[in-house]
Each structure stands twice: as C-alpha cells, then as structure tokens.
Amino acid sequence: PGLPDDAPVPSSDAFAAVDRALAAFRAGAEPRDLATDGWVTQQWQRFLHGLGSVPPERLAGLDAEFALTRSGNSEVLSAWLEVGVRNGYRGVDRRLELFLATVGRRKFLKPLYEALLASDGGRERALVIYQRARPRYHAVSQRTIDALLGVDGSR
C-alpha cells in the first residue's frame, strides 16, 4: 500500500525456486525429488512457512530426507518445529522440548508456544515445558510467555 503503480516489483530467482518446490510438494512430489541443493536459510524458511496444512506422514518424509528435526540452524529449526506442532507431527516432540529448554529468544519461543496452545493437549504440554524452562529465559521472554499461557510468573 502506498507505492506508486509504476514502482518496480522485486523478484528473486532463489525464492522462485522455493515456490516451484512448494508447488511440486503440494502436488504430491516426494521430498527426494525437490530441487533444494544449495538452499540458504531464507529459502528453507520460505518453504517451511509456505507449507500450511500437511499430513504428519508427509512431514515425516520431509524430515527423513532433509533431517529438519536435527537442524543446527535455529531459524530453520524453529520454523520446522512450528510446522510440526501445528500439523500434529509427533516426530518433533523431543526436539521441541529440548529447543524450548535451551533457547531463550522470544522470537523463537512465542510462535512455538502459540503453536502448542493451538494443538490438541498443547496447553498442558506447554505448561509442563515452560515450568522447567522458564528460569533460563530472559525476563522479557518470561513476561511474554507468562501472559500467553496465563500464568503468574511472580511466584
């Protein structure tokens, strides 16, 4: 909004490749057939954020092919964990708990706790994880997650 009609429209060959892979995956392509070689963090983020609703067995295929649950990149891992939780892929459960217990950055925590809250039985899981992890979080993160979960962190 607010840009002139003749403003240049940016395009990215790298993101176009991601969009092609997303379209192929949505059309039923197997993960091994996706052209992901050389993808950087931002491409993986675009792919993962673009997945939307995916059956857990399809997510298991992505995980088996790309080892997403074992990613050492926090940006990619947090996006993957969020996709997994939102789609009921239980293969991320242990890594999610470890990630929430060891990473204190609010930008990672808030979307993951929100995803947990939106999942079946997620509030209880979120509370159990948070009780253990809260002491390691920065005060700003604590206040955010306290409010999100409706807990009184002053005790």
Side-chain angles (χ1 to χ4, degrees), residues 4-152:
D5 291 338
D6 63 345
V9 177
S11 66
S12 165
D13 292 339
F15 283 158
V18 173
D19 295 341
R20 285 190 298 276
L22 265 171
F25 185 73
R26 287 187 191 120
E30 292 300 320
R32 70 178 169 275
D33 298 327
L34 302 178
T36 62
D37 288 342
W39 276 13
V40 297
T41 300
Q42 293 78 9
Q43 288 173 290
W44 279 110
Q45 287 176 299
R46 183 176 180 104
F47 181 82
L48 294 170
H49 289 300
L51 283 174
S53 181
V54 179
E57 58 275 6
R58 293 281 282 157
L59 293 179
L62 286 173
D63 203 10
E65 182 66 24
F66 302 115
L68 294 163
T69 300
R70 294 191 312 269
S71 177
N73 181 316
S74 292
E75 298 287 347
V76 171
L77 181 59
S78 67
W80 170 246
L81 293 173
E82 185 177 351
V83 167
V85 170
R86 289 198 186 278
N87 288 285
Y89 173 51
R90 302 306 302 250
V92 300
D93 286 357
R94 288 182 53 193
R95 188 64 178 102
L96 171 71
E97 291 183 26
L98 179 62
F99 189 76
L100 289 173
T102 57
V103 172
R105 295 191 68 187
R106 185 173 62 169
K107 77 176 211 164
F108 296 130
L109 299 175
K110 188 172 184 277
L112 291 172
Y113 278 105
E114 287 171 338
L116 275 170
L117 288 174
S119 68
D120 289 337
R123 178 169 173 68
E124 293 76 22
R125 281 184 66 208
L127 288 170
V128 167
I129 295 167
Y130 187 55
Q131 183 178 17
R132 287 193 316 259
R134 187 182 189 278
R136 290 184 218 90
Y137 293 168
H138 186 278
V140 174
S141 294
Q142 288 177 347
R143 284 192 298 273
T144 298
I145 307 305
D146 285 351
L148 187 66
L149 296 178
V151 298
D152 181 3

